[in-house]
Amino acid sequence: MSRPRIVIVGAGFAGYRTARTLSRLTRHQADITLLNPTDYFLYLPLLPQVAAGILEPRRVSVSLSGTLPHVRLVLGEADGIDLDGRTVHYTGPEGEEGTLAYDRLVLAAGSVNKLLPIPGVAEHAHGFRGLPEALYLRDHVTRQVELAAAADDRAECAARCTFVVVGAGYTGTEVAAHGAMYTDAQVRRHPMRTGMRPRWMLLDVAPRVMPEMDERLSRTAERVLRQRGVDVRMGTSVQEATHDGVVLTDGSTVDTRTLVWCVGVRPDPLVESLGLPMERGRLLVDPHLQVPGRPELFACGDVAAVPDLNQPGQYTPMTAQHAWRHGKVCAHNVVASLGRGQRRAYRHRDMGFVVDLGGAKAAANPLGLPMSGPAAGAVTRGYHLAAMPGNRVRVAADWLLDAVLPRQAVQLGLVRSWSVPLESSSPEVARVPGRPEQSGKDAVAAGTAGTAGTAGTAGKHADGDDAKKQPGGEPAKGQPGGEPGKNQPGGGEPGKNQPGGEPAKNQPGGGPAKRGPDAASAGSRSHGERAKGSQSGSPRASGKPRRAVEAAGPRPARGGSGKPGKSSRASGAGSAGRRPTAPSGPSRSAGPPTDPGPEPPANQPPPGPDIAPGPVRRTDGRAVEGDS
């Protein structure tokens, strides 16, 4: 008898705990596969300390292969699930496709940034859900303070050293608290010429800071924020965002180059493609974390609407504390479904919350006991050390060094603004040149924006100078960090050197060079026209737009074999989660059919690892095998 196959999608708090518990319970009697875009588990509660320079990024990144024995790690993003065929289709980090068969499937894909329909936010704001976003924010804040310190104009200095955080929940409060300490330390060592100091603003439509937590914690957090000079404005949010500031709902305008979006999260859009009962974007499950009518399918974490047995009629909130506990119960129930042990219903007991406000300040209520000051700080850091599944000594060492040494306020420039767009189905993965970037959802969104917003013209973003250093030439137009594009909301030409915009100048692995035969027509295509905007399947179809283009034209496949690339898979009659082909109705991008684009010229540099090479030419005039 073959061993049962268990596939876990996602390695967040719920997925990681499920895999670790299953590894212990199955005792090598099952094949456990973990599908995740990265090879680490991210301890999200300490992410604000990475942005503030307290912790190094690898401190909050726990190796999956090093801490999950007997679990097979597959790098990739799930973009289709065939419930009847019991297979998961995924796209790897270099565009390769694969399929995983399962006997038991655990969906723990987590959540992504929640984007509200506010003009300009998608183009000018950045979220805070992954390491790339934290590293970008750290570099960006450091750069703005340095540029403000060198500026002679008071207006420019004020705009650069004003930082707006939207969302006064758990994450936004910690980002503002740590950020204010970080920038104040920079200015103490390098005062500004104009005599100004950094200004942090925390906005939320709620009546108080951290409205979902105990009121005493809210008062403590707000008091600490105001003591540090943070401008806390409750009942206020952003009405419009532009390249040089924001317009607030109270009618005032704030000049700024930094907008951090911490409004909240929404479940990963992968589960929407399954066609199963949902509750506000979350998959409905029973108290045993099992999907009704699907005994082989389990869900936990942020993608699952788990009934709260302590409060009938309600569902457990989307918090790390619940996700971590979901994982343990889910693992026990998966094993029970295989005939070992008894099923467990998820029932929780509130252990309280901790909020690290930087330095010795914190707010905590362990077991319902409200605390503040150094005592709360000790409890908070002790809790995080106990909860982390690894790197405890390294984290404690970084805390000790931060207490006795000044922070290193340097910008490494490893993550650009265009690499961490707010609207992304994979905030844990930074976009890079030469990679199949756009997922189906992102391509549709970009295509719709590209065909709809062609009127206004915006100015230069704060990251424009840095963006000029991108590989391939000028900064991306229409992206945060460069000049706006005509096919972006309120923009001009399509972004140069950006996926879906004008091809990069001689960039290896990119599209055709500008001097190519059809460069003008290629550059005029909108982002939505290049992407497969009409795709109506799973929004996580990472890399599909590029492969659809390959299938539509004569471009040779990888390795120069001359075979066309694979086209999108059609949805079977009973495949609830598999991505369908483009429907015959009108496209959501309102653009012309997908164009394969021109062939690369003879002098094109070598392609990237996941881009089909162009024709091979010899310099001596003789033809070579396979020469077109």
Side-chain angles (χ1 to χ4, degrees):
M1 181 178 178
S2 61
R3 299 195 300 179
R5 299 162 299 180
I6 304 173
V7 174
I8 305 169
V9 177
F13 279 89
Y16 180 87
R17 186 77 182 278
T18 301
R20 194 171 76 168
T21 308
L22 278 174
S23 176
R24 175 175 56 86
L25 294 177
T26 56
R27 300 177 182 177
H28 319 294
Q29 300 302 311
D31 293 329
I32 307 171
T33 301
L34 179 62
L35 177 64
N36 197 58
T38 63
D39 64 349
Y40 59 83
F41 158 75
L42 177 63
Y43 190 75
L44 272 170
L46 293 182
L47 202 58
Q49 298 191 26
V50 174
I54 300 174
L55 297 177
E56 289 303 312
R58 286 186 295 178
R59 304 297 187 255
V60 299
S61 310
V62 179
S63 170
L64 296 177
S65 58
T67 58
L68 295 177
H70 316 299
V71 174
R72 175 193 173 204
L73 173 63
V74 175
L75 293 178
E77 297 182 53
D79 48 35
I81 299 175
D82 183 352
L83 295 177
D84 294 334
R86 295 195 177 189
T87 57
V88 177
H89 183 270
Y90 69 91
T91 303
E94 295 183 353
E96 68 279 10
E97 292 183 337
T99 302
L100 299 174
Y102 65 85
D103 298 306
R104 297 292 183 272
L105 176 64
V106 179
L107 292 178
S111 54
V112 298
N113 293 311
K114 180 169 66 176
L115 182 62
L116 301 180
I118 300 176
V121 166
E123 295 76 31
H124 303 287
H126 290 281
F128 202 78
R129 287 292 299 168
L131 269 181
E133 293 170 321
L135 293 176
Y136 166 76
L137 182 61
R138 178 175 171 176
D139 275 1
H140 176 77
V141 169
T142 304
R143 177 170 59 254
Q144 295 310 307
V145 173
E146 291 172 348
L147 293 175
D152 294 321
D153 181 54
R154 289 186 61 87
E156 179 186 357
C157 180
R160 291 195 180 277
C161 62
T162 298
F163 308 95
V164 178
V165 180
V166 185
Y170 185 98
T171 301
T173 299
E174 287 195 337
V175 168
H178 283 281
M181 289 189 65
Y182 180 59
T183 53
D184 284 347
Q186 280 187 268
V187 173
R188 280 196 297 269
R189 289 194 295 272
H190 303 285
M192 298 184 182
R193 295 184 182 182
T194 57
M196 304 183 68
R197 58 166 293 180
R199 174 193 181 194
W200 284 79
M201 297 182 65
L202 182 61
L203 313 176
D204 203 308
V205 295
R208 58 186 175 90
V209 174
M210 297 189 301
E212 68 278 7
M213 299 185 184
D214 185 87
E215 189 173 352
R216 288 169 291 189
L217 290 181
S218 297
R219 288 199 299 265
T220 299
E222 184 170 352
R223 182 175 66 251
V224 172
L225 290 172
R226 294 190 183 280
Q227 287 173 352
R228 292 183 183 162
V230 178
D231 185 359
V232 180
R233 298 192 185 184
M234 295 293 98
T236 306
S237 188
V238 173
Q239 180 176 320
E240 181 183 0
T242 64
H243 66 282
D244 57 1
V246 293
V247 179
L248 305 184
T249 53
D250 61 6
S252 60
T253 300
V254 178
D255 293 335
T256 181
R257 303 291 189 271
T258 308
L259 181 59
V260 187
W261 193 255
C262 301
V263 168
V265 296
R266 61 186 177 91
D268 192 289
L270 171 68
V271 296
E272 297 176 0
S273 65
L274 299 179
L276 297 174
M278 309 285 290
E279 172 63 29
R280 295 187 178 181
R282 294 197 282 173
L283 194 60
L284 274 174
V285 298
D286 61 22
H288 302 94
L289 308 179
Q290 200 166 19
V291 177
R294 291 283 179 177
E296 78 286 355
L297 182 59
F298 296 79
C300 54
D302 290 350
V303 298
V306 182
D308 190 340
L309 298 182
N310 294 330
Q311 303 181 49
Q314 299 187 25
Y315 299 93
T316 58
M318 297 166 60
T319 63
Q321 190 177 116
H322 281 290
W324 187 252
R325 297 173 183 176
H326 286 174
K328 182 178 180 180
V329 174
C330 184
H332 279 278
N333 291 336
V334 169
V335 173
S337 71
L338 298 174
R340 296 180 55 182
Q342 298 294 323
R343 294 201 307 169
R344 302 181 181 182
Y346 179 73
R347 189 183 297 271
H348 72 95
R349 180 191 173 197
D350 189 1
M351 303 294 291
F353 290 92
V354 294
V355 182
D356 192 325
L357 300 175
K361 303 290 186 180
N365 63 342
L367 301 177
L369 178 64
M371 302 176 65
S372 61
V379 169
T380 299
R381 296 200 166 182
Y383 169 80
H384 287 315
L385 285 180
M388 286 196 68
N391 298 345
R392 295 188 181 95
V393 175
R394 290 184 172 92
V395 170
D398 274 5
W399 283 340
L400 178 61
L401 291 175
D402 181 69
V404 298
L405 297 176
R407 298 181 197 174
Q408 293 178 301
V410 296
Q411 47 169 323
L412 302 179
L414 299 178
V415 182
R416 302 298 188 185
S417 175
W418 51 267
S419 299
V420 283
L422 178 61
E423 189 172 9
S424 171
S425 60
S426 301
E428 65 273 19
V429 179
R431 294 181 177 177
V432 295
R435 175 185 165 196
E437 304 293 352
Q438 290 283 348
S439 67
K441 175 184 72 63
D442 295 340
V444 169
T448 305
T451 55
T454 58
T457 302
K460 198 171 187 179
H461 192 272
D463 289 346
D465 297 336
D466 250 25
K468 289 182 180 179
K469 305 172 187 176
Q470 295 177 28
E474 298 178 1
K477 291 187 178 181
Q479 297 292 335
E483 295 179 359
K486 287 181 180 177
N487 67 328
Q488 300 293 334
E493 295 181 346
K496 292 184 179 179
N497 200 17
Q498 296 301 313
E502 186 174 340
K505 295 182 180 178
N506 301 331
Q507 182 172 343
K514 282 188 69 177
R515 61 177 179 271
D518 295 327
S521 61
S524 63
R525 294 190 204 104
S526 70
H527 198 160
E529 294 165 357
R530 279 176 166 255
K532 191 174 181 182
S534 61
Q535 187 170 1
S536 62
S538 167
R540 292 292 295 270
S542 175
K544 272 297 177 184
R546 185 181 67 84
R547 280 188 289 279
V549 169
E550 292 177 356
R555 181 180 297 175
R558 266 184 219 98
S561 63
K563 297 179 181 180
K566 290 187 287 185
S567 61
S568 299
R569 301 190 176 190
S571 174
S575 303
R578 184 172 290 177
R579 294 169 294 171
T581 55
S584 58
S587 169
R588 288 182 60 183
S589 64
T594 304
D595 192 300
E599 288 290 333
N603 60 348
Q604 180 73 9
D610 45 51
I611 301 297
V616 179
R617 305 284 184 184
R618 293 180 62 102
T619 57
D620 55 7
R622 291 187 299 167
V624 296
E625 184 178 357
D627 194 2
S628 58

